[in-house]
């Protein structure tokens, strides 16, 4: 007689008896039956001891190769080890032995669905429905698979068959509504929702109608259904969100904040949806500049509702830092790291704010901890290198970059950035030979990499050597990024050094147009070009502006010298 999952009952007395029998016959393998191994295997499986369970069930199959139930449990053990091919093979064998048992095929269908093999899963469900046409549960899963596979018309046909079997209910009506919405058959969807509201009145159905009318900008009807949802269930928080959003679109901010705070204060509502709404709708709208106290209240309510949620801690922490409540914001971000050390985004948000604040003393240990937590994350290692760099510890930054290069794959896109950074770092140490060597290594990877081309060219300009090569490198940068003030300045300055004063004025003027007016160095270069062209008044004007921006450059002394040269 073939064993099936449903034909064996694990009674405590039977388990005890068989365990004793197995122990008594430990030296006599032939006295242990396949059923003994099976029951012990299932007992171990239920206890979570998959290794022992697998051993017992394998022995069971040696004695009874036709034991389909043992195959099923071995398939489940294979799945726990991510061996899906083995699991599917065992399920197919079990189904072949016991074709009257639909459980094996059903499990296979669900496995195919999990693996993304939607068509195979659909095929099995259609086969099961053909054999068991009155089993409505199969129809529900098939409809879901058809929707996920984008076969919406077929999904509607399946829902029709469910309604024929069990009658129209709220579940199938809701599924029909969602499908019709996805097909943009809005009038039919509205008719379904109205029937649902009539035949199966619920807060959820009223919410569907409210959302539908809100999407059509029919504010009064939307508000009617949102309020109906609250009449049916006064604690149905999503309705408050719908009401709030209608008032937001009407710019009725008093009622917006009144209702949105109910939604934000609810611990049951998804915190990610709340954060997404604030980040994508509220913050970009300009409300923050006008309604700072009200938004502060929202943040307080969010933290009270979700005091340990990573998404909320990230958002509120960053918010308070941006709003100049720096210490409060950093405390929230640090709490997030403490509560969720395994979440990279928590570390990234905290370190990002420390970098923005130029708080190297706290950023360095934070980055060290992050590297310890995620040793395979090269980006985190680079954050540590940059933190040392900005803190003035050039040697330590160089060490970190060399550590990155030891573990970085040869084709990794970060490789060229490491070469460029090492070139910059060695230049800061005054080791130009090593600096240029790393620039050359980077350009062998990509000879159009602008950061290296620009810095290499500029440093050559400082030495006043190999200017032809420097100009060629710099020209590439302005051709690819013609609105980059830094690249325009480098190219213009190189033209000046080679005596092309008109070309220098042109590119240095463009550098100022694209932001260079905020740089004393760019203003100085432009003034030099103007002076060379004997446009003295303008030259002294820009030198004066440069001196005001950065007196440390010593431009005031240069002005005096140039006045003498110009005879003024």
């Amino acid at each position: 007689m073939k064993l099936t999952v449903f034909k064996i009952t694990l009674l405590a007395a039977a388990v005890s008896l068989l365990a004793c029998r197995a122990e008594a016959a430990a030296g006599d393998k032939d006295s242990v039956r396949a059923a003994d191994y099976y029951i012990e295997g299932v007992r171990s499986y239920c206890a979570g001891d998959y290794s022992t369970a697998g051993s017992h069930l394998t022995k069971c199959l040696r004695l009874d190769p036709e034991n389909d139930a043992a195959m099923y449990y071995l398939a489940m053990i294979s799945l726990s080890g991510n061996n899906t091919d083995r699991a599917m093979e065992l399920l197919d064998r079990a189904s072949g032995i016991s074709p009257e048992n639909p459980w094996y095929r059903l499990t296979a269908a669900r496995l195919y669905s999990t693996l993304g093999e939607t068509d195979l899963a659909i095929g099995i469900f259609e086969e099961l429905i053909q054999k068991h046409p009155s089993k409505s549960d199969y129809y529900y899963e098939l409809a879901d698979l058809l929707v996920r596979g984008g076969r919406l018309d077929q999904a509607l046909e399946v829902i029709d068959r469910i309604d024929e079997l069990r009658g129209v209910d709220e579940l199938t009506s809701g599924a029909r509504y969602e499908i019709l919405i996805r097909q943009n058959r809005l009038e039919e969807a509205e008719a379904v929702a109205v029937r649902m509201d009539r035949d199966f009145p619920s807060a959820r159905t009223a919410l569907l109608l409210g959302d539908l009318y809100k999407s059509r900008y029919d504010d009064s009807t939307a508000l009617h259904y949102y309020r109906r949802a609250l009449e049916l269930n006064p604690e149905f928080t999503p309705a408050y969100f719908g009401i709030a959003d209608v008032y937001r679109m009407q710019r009725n901010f008093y009622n917006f904040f009144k209702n949105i705070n109910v939604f934000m204060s609810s611990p049951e509502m998804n915190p990610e949806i709340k954060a997404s709404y604030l980040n994508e709708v509220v913050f970009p709208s300009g409300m923050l500049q006008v309604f700072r106290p009200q938004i502060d209240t929202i943040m307080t309510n969010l933290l009270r509702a979700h005091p340990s949620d990573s998404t909320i801690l990230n958002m509120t922490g960053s918010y308070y830092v941006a709003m100049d409540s720096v210490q409060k914001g950093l405390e929230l971000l640090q709490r997030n790291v403490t509560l969720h050390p395994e979440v990279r985004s928590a570390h990234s948000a905290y370190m990002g704010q420390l970098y923005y604040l130029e708080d190297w003393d706290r950023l360095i240990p934070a980055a060290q901890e992050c590297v310890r937590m995620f040793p395979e994350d090269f980006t985190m290692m680079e954050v540590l290198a940059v933190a040392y760099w900005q803190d003035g510890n050039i040697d330590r930054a160089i060490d970190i970059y060399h550590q990155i290069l030891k573990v970085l794959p040869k084709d990794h896109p970060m490789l060229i950035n490491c070469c460029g950074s090492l070139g910059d770092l060695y230049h800061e140490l005054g080791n130009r030979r090593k600096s240029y060597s790393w620039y050359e290594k980077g350009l062998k990877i990509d000879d159009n990499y602008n950061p290296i081309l620009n810095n290499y060219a500029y440093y050559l300009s400082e030495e006043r050597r190999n200017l032809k090569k420097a100009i060629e490198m710099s020209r590439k940068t302005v051709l690819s990024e013609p609105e980059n003030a830094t690249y325009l300045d480098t190219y213009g300055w190189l033209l000046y050094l080679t005596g092309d004063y008109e070309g220098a004025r042109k590119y240095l003027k463009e550098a100022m147009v694209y932001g260079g007016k905020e740089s004393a160095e760019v203003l100085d270069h432009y003034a030099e070009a103007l002076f060379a062209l004997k446009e003295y008044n303008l030259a002294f004007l820009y030198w004066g502006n440069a001196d005001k921006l950065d007196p440390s450059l010593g431009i005031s002394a240069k002005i005096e010298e140039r006045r003498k040269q110009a005879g003024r």
Side-chain angles (χ1 to χ4, degrees):
M1 181 177 180
K2 296 171 186 173
L3 298 171
T4 70
V5 174
F6 304 109
K7 291 179 182 175
I8 294 180
T9 304
L10 297 177
L11 297 173
V15 170
S16 176
L17 176 63
L18 289 167
C20 291
R21 182 185 299 158
E23 183 179 356
D28 185 358
K29 294 181 180 178
D30 292 337
S31 66
V32 182
R33 300 180 307 159
D36 299 342
Y37 282 124
Y38 172 77
I39 292 177
E40 284 301 301
V42 175
R43 184 183 65 80
S44 298
Y45 177 85
C46 293
D49 185 356
Y50 294 160
S51 177
T52 302
S55 176
H56 284 311
L57 293 165
T58 300
K59 290 174 182 177
C60 168
L61 283 180
R62 286 189 192 132
L63 295 173
D64 180 9
E66 299 290 293
N67 191 316
D68 54 297
M71 292 175 190
Y72 169 79
Y73 280 108
L74 281 171
M76 296 301 100
I77 292 169
S78 295
L79 276 181
S80 71
N82 292 321
N83 190 346
T84 53
D85 291 341
R86 175 64 174 159
M88 197 62 72
E89 175 194 340
L90 287 163
L91 288 170
D92 286 344
R93 285 173 58 192
S95 183
I97 292 168
S98 185
E100 76 281 1
N101 186 340
W103 181 254
Y104 305 135
R105 296 295 285 156
L106 181 61
T107 303
R110 289 170 177 167
L111 176 55
Y112 277 132
S113 175
T114 301
L115 295 173
E117 299 284 356
T118 305
D119 289 342
L120 292 173
I122 288 171
I124 293 176
F125 272 110
E126 288 175 339
E127 167 197 318
L128 287 170
I129 286 171
Q130 189 173 9
K131 292 180 179 178
H132 309 278
S134 62
K135 187 75 172 175
S136 59
D137 288 349
Y138 297 160
Y139 292 94
Y140 285 111
E141 293 195 54
L142 175 58
D144 180 61
L145 283 167
L146 290 167
V147 169
R148 281 194 276 157
R151 294 153 67 170
L152 302 181
D153 286 334
Q154 288 177 263
L156 286 174
E157 291 174 7
V158 172
I159 290 172
D160 288 339
R161 292 164 72 183
I162 297 173
D163 288 345
E164 290 173 8
L165 279 173
R166 302 186 60 169
V168 178
D169 61 19
E170 185 177 5
L171 182 61
T172 55
S173 297
R176 187 185 301 279
Y177 171 85
E178 296 295 339
I179 292 170
L180 291 170
I181 287 290
R182 287 185 59 171
Q183 292 180 315
N184 204 33
R185 295 160 64 178
L186 301 183
E187 290 185 3
E188 293 173 78
E190 180 184 359
V192 169
V194 169
R195 284 198 301 271
M196 288 170 64
D197 186 54
R198 181 194 66 206
D199 299 336
F200 316 108
S202 70
R204 181 181 177 278
T205 300
L207 179 71
L208 288 178
L209 284 163
D211 289 345
L212 179 64
Y213 288 111
K214 178 163 72 75
S215 69
R216 297 178 180 176
Y217 301 99
D218 186 345
D219 295 352
S220 59
T221 308
L223 286 172
H224 164 77
Y225 279 107
Y226 288 138
R227 288 171 180 146
R228 173 169 166 75
L230 291 173
E231 289 172 3
L232 292 167
N233 182 358
E235 297 181 0
F236 190 64
T237 311
Y240 287 102
F241 174 79
I243 292 171
D245 205 43
V246 169
Y247 283 128
R248 178 190 64 83
M249 292 188 294
Q250 293 179 343
R251 305 190 68 77
N252 183 338
F253 293 115
Y254 173 80
N255 281 311
F256 166 74
F257 285 110
K258 178 182 175 182
N259 286 278
I260 201 66
N261 268 307
V262 178
F263 175 74
M264 295 292 177
S265 301
S266 172
E268 287 75 30
M269 293 296 100
N270 188 317
E272 292 188 5
I273 292 177
K274 295 177 181 180
S276 177
Y277 182 73
L278 289 169
N279 284 324
E280 296 175 15
V281 178
V282 174
F283 292 154
S285 70
M287 276 192 268
L288 183 57
Q289 287 72 25
V290 182
F291 300 105
R292 167 73 188 276
Q294 291 88 338
I295 294 179
D296 278 351
T297 300
I298 288 176
M299 295 298 153
T300 301
N301 290 334
L302 277 173
L303 284 169
R304 188 178 294 122
H306 310 284
S308 60
D309 181 80
S310 182
T311 300
I312 296 302
L313 288 170
N314 261 1
M315 185 187 69
T316 54
S318 300
Y319 169 82
Y320 284 118
V321 171
M323 294 294 105
D324 295 326
S325 297
V326 174
Q327 192 55 39
K328 182 175 182 178
L330 290 179
E331 286 173 2
L332 291 170
L333 293 170
Q334 192 168 33
R335 185 203 303 174
N336 196 17
V337 171
T338 302
L339 292 174
H340 307 283
E342 76 290 351
V343 178
R344 296 186 195 216
S345 60
H347 293 270
S348 297
Y350 180 48
M351 292 191 300
Q353 292 298 337
L354 291 174
Y355 187 92
Y356 169 75
L357 295 167
E358 299 184 3
D359 190 341
W360 316 122
D361 290 340
R362 281 198 275 192
L363 178 56
I364 288 171
Q368 288 172 330
E369 175 62 16
C370 199
V371 169
R372 188 188 69 79
M373 287 292 300
F374 309 104
E376 78 291 351
D377 193 325
F378 311 127
T379 303
M380 299 296 186
M381 293 179 70
E382 186 174 31
V383 170
L384 179 57
V386 171
Y388 278 123
W389 187 351
Q390 296 299 319
D391 197 38
N393 194 338
I394 304 300
D395 290 328
R396 191 73 187 99
I398 288 174
D399 287 343
I400 298 294
Y401 271 114
H402 280 298
Q403 289 177 33
I404 296 172
L405 289 174
K406 287 179 182 177
V407 295
L408 203 64
K410 291 183 179 179
D411 58 347
H412 198 281
M414 187 175 158
L415 184 62
I416 192 169
N417 184 59
C418 290
C419 292
S421 295
L422 282 168
D424 296 342
L425 286 161
Y426 277 116
H427 190 274
E428 288 196 33
L429 287 180
N431 190 334
R432 290 180 176 175
R433 183 183 63 81
K434 279 193 174 181
S435 173
Y436 296 163
S437 172
W438 279 106
Y439 287 151
E440 292 289 351
K441 288 178 182 178
L443 293 177
K444 284 180 182 177
I445 299 170
D446 181 0
D447 61 1
N448 290 308
Y449 188 65
N450 285 339
I452 290 180
L453 289 169
N454 178 77
N455 289 3
Y456 195 179
Y458 191 74
Y459 292 144
L460 286 174
S461 78
E462 288 187 329
E463 295 186 63
R464 305 295 197 269
R465 72 181 182 87
N466 216 344
L467 294 182
K468 182 178 179 182
K469 177 178 180 177
I471 284 178
E472 284 305 308
M473 290 192 294
S474 184
R475 189 171 68 87
K476 285 185 177 182
T477 68
V478 296
L479 287 175
S480 64
E481 294 187 47
E483 297 180 4
N484 186 308
T486 298
Y487 299 162
L488 289 165
D489 172 60
T490 298
Y491 189 57
W493 184 238
L494 282 162
L495 292 175
Y496 169 84
L497 293 176
T498 54
D500 184 357
Y501 302 134
E502 286 290 353
R505 175 169 62 177
K506 172 188 173 185
Y507 283 97
L508 290 167
K509 186 175 183 179
E510 287 185 24
M512 290 196 301
V513 169
Y514 295 114
K517 285 184 179 180
E518 306 304 317
S519 166
E521 189 173 25
V522 174
L523 293 173
D524 178 34
H525 289 166
Y526 186 51
E528 288 283 15
L530 291 170
F531 188 86
L533 292 168
K534 297 184 170 42
E535 296 185 25
Y536 299 130
N537 290 336
L538 277 176
F540 290 121
L541 172 66
Y542 283 105
W543 268 321
N545 291 340
D547 190 44
K548 289 176 184 176
L549 277 176
D550 189 353
S552 68
L553 292 179
I555 292 176
S556 58
K558 177 189 284 192
I559 292 172
E560 291 302 318
E561 182 182 345
R562 290 291 192 270
R563 285 192 184 280
K564 291 177 183 178
Q565 293 174 3
R568 298 190 170 204

